[in-house]
Amino acid sequence: TDPESLVVGRDNAVALAGPTPSCVEAVTLVSDAGQVPLAWTTTGDRVGLTLPLAKTAPGKLSLLVKQYGVEAPDKIALTALAEAGRIDGLTLYAGDAAGTLAGTRLDLVASMTVDGVAFKPGEVVRADKVDRLGLVADTAPAFAAGQAKTALVTLTDGRKRSVKFVVAAARPKATLIAKSAAAPPSPGLPVVLAGDTAIAQDARLTFSLRAEGTRFSPGDSVEIATADGKMTTSVASGRGLTVQDDRIAVATVEPGKALGVSAHGPLKWRLVQDGVAGDWVPLTTLVRAPGVTGVTCAEACTLAGTDLFLIESVAANAGFAEAVRVPEGFTGASFAVPKPVGGMLYLRLRDDPGVTATVAVKS
């Protein structure tokens, strides 16, 4: 009577109804794995069976019911389904093209629609015994905060589930106004990065934000992470985040210390208000620089220092003509470099070869 009651991974009790259950001679379960004779009981006009589906794959099954005096058995077609799990709810913020389902066995979700808008599933993330599945539409639907909606979720075997939800208020948004970096004094020759697209790992970064469609408050925080999201830190009010007023906030952080000595590459930030995070926004590139202790010249010039493997190449001009390349994995404490022109050497660093670094060479 319930086509969704047969679920693999467990034994399933079923009942067959008919006028003469006492005439049943044999019942056989047929699947891709073969045929299995079943035991049964009779009560009134019912034949009670247990289908052993603990080790059966989802798919088509059939029961062959043989009656006394009848040569050909009756065939009953069945479908064994994967455990559907449950759907606890859907979170969808106004203005977003993506929503998140929460529940279990969300790997069985094939698609979702809301008011005719189709959403495609992404990767399932498992945390605290709950699945979370992100689904994305091609364009953000024009749903307003507070609207009551119903999502229709289709599973991979064709089953459908409806989920009622209320469109949440838009996620917090802010824009980057300005940023600056201050490097600490260097014990050797300072390695200076050109432009403002990258900062040295030991630098202090300060950046300001303007609230868009929201207001800053002392309870807000700003998350900062590497591009892959594996290293994160957060600045909050009194701990690196200062709210100038309800429209402007200023964040200060030392990424190299907060994210760890291995952190490098592009960084991103996002605003968090009341536990709700906004979109990630590019911030800067964190670059590890070598320690240059000196450059000496006689007949040839030599650059000495520590962590010299962080240098990709060195040149005596900004165009990097006749540059000297540093071997990958270089472990030495010095190497030959071109003779500085105008008291300057130009470096390309492995963490961001697109940014030119300079070292002022003392006469």
Side-chain angles (χ1 to χ4, degrees), residues 92-158:
L92 181 65
Y93 297 98
D96 278 8
T100 302
L101 281 174
T104 60
R105 290 308 310 272
L106 298 184
D107 55 305
L108 299 176
V109 173
S111 64
M112 182 181 77
T113 59
V114 183
D115 288 358
V117 179
F119 290 77
K120 297 179 181 179
E123 296 294 328
V124 176
V125 177
R126 180 77 174 174
D128 299 327
K129 299 182 180 180
V130 175
D131 288 348
R132 298 193 184 277
L133 173 65
L135 300 104
V136 182
D138 290 336
T139 57
F143 298 156
Q147 285 185 321
K149 297 288 183 180
T150 299
L152 184 62
V153 178
T154 301
L155 305 183
T156 52
D157 56 22

Side-chain angles (χ1 to χ4, degrees), residues 271-323:
L271 176 63
V272 180
Q273 292 183 320
D274 298 325
V276 178
D279 287 329
W280 287 109
V281 182
L283 178 58
T284 189
T285 299
L286 189 62
V287 175
R288 296 168 297 174
V292 179
T293 56
V295 177
T296 57
C297 292
E299 295 182 0
C301 294
T302 300
L303 182 148
T306 58
D307 297 334
L308 300 182
F309 59 87
L310 295 173
I311 303 174
E312 181 193 70
S313 57
V314 181
N317 56 83
F320 280 81
E322 300 181 353

